[in-house]
Amino acid sequence: MRTQKRDPSQRAFFKGYQVGFQGHPDNKCPHNDNTEQGHEWINGWQEGHGDYLRGYSIATAQERIASL
């Protein structure tokens, strides 16, 4: 059975979340700012960075990602 890949925008959001949660700056965005993936990556980074600043544990962050 073939597995379905996630939507590229959704993948960009999750990658941005991971970078933000690790405390890295948002200038590490690998996408062009004017693309949908770029916007989603920044949105994910903002969510992840907010969780990083709130002091969430990795387990809590993983639960939040699973619920999104």
Side-chain angles (χ1 to χ4, degrees), residues 4-59:
Q4 186 79 13
K5 283 190 173 183
R6 278 191 238 149
D7 176 11
S9 296
Q10 187 180 23
R11 281 193 317 230
F13 179 89
F14 290 134
K15 293 289 186 185
Y17 183 92
Q18 291 171 342
V19 171
F21 187 76
Q22 293 170 355
H24 296 292
D26 63 349
N27 64 357
K28 291 192 169 216
C29 181
H31 304 284
N32 188 340
D33 292 344
N34 298 327
T35 63
E36 183 178 351
Q37 285 88 8
H39 289 288
E40 289 300 322
W41 192 95
I42 291 294
N43 289 339
W45 181 89
Q46 289 172 338
E47 287 281 329
H49 193 67
D51 290 351
Y52 167 75
L53 293 176
R54 288 182 201 92
Y56 286 175
S57 69
I58 292 173

